[in-house]
Amino acid sequence: LTSQVMMAASWIPAWLESLLLFLIPHSCIQELLVEFNIFHVECLKILISKVLGYGIILGSSVVKVPQVIKILVAKSGEGISIYGVSLELTAITNTLAYAYANNYPFSTYGEALFMLFQTAAIAFMVLFFQGKHAVAFGFLGCYATILSYLLSGMAPMSLLATLHATGMPVVVVSKMIQAIANYRQGHTGQLSAITVFLLTLGSVARIFTSYQETGDTLLIMTYIVSTAANAMIAFQIVWYWNAVKKPKAE
């Protein structure tokens, strides 16, 4: 039987096997591609989770680029709450530091790394285009220092767990601040619909991948809350789709 399995496996090119091992264990390669047991539940769950995870990471590398472009083209961060962005950056940072310290698979949190840089860039541009140049550069300096400490291995796990636990209320507050700003303005300003919708879909997928690959209740709950908060902003994007910005009073 072993020799038959080896012969059956010989059709799989080495490069493809290496790629597959990046997604699923060798036992699942045997189940799915050698024995053709394509309905093996556990292996399918692992494969779907990995594909979703890396898909989210790939998408996250550009998820906020539309938002960045809108700000750069308009040379304005009008409609974007710097407080909301800062709190969102805090939540992303806490998630990254917590997952990294726990040695969770990169596929379960990798998007946080890319979103971190993009969100920090948005915060910087909002401040910069408000004319607060010194504050913008000071913000980046302080943030880089804090991030370096959290990822250095010197931060105790108890601190990282506590910071991550604050992620849920931080996410809610950050999105509520933005939602209130949208409501008061009667439009969503320079918010990018593409970015908001992709963030919402990514949060939904993360609930499954976190459950499948980490089983960490705290991490799962964070993404459930994040999904609800992002969905609220997505709803406002749709609601105010045809809204016209009110001209500023002279």
Side-chain angles (χ1 to χ4, degrees), residues 11 13-14 22 48-49 60 77 135 137 179 204 219:
W11 73 269
F22 191 62
I48 292 171
S49 180
S60 73
V135 174
F137 284 104
V204 172
L219 203 59

Side-chain angles (χ1 to χ4, degrees), residues 16-31:
L16 179 57
E17 185 173 3
S18 298
L19 179 61
L20 290 171
L21 285 172
F22 191 62
L23 298 173
I24 54 178
H26 191 271
S27 58
C28 284
I29 294 178
Q30 261 189 215
E31 285 286 349

Side-chain angles (χ1 to χ4, degrees), residues 67 70 78-80 182 185-192 245:
Q67 182 69 80
K70 284 194 73 171
E78 181 186 2
I80 298 176
N182 294 339
Q185 293 165 162
H187 61 80
T188 53
Q190 297 303 321
L191 278 179
S192 166
K245 298 177 185 178

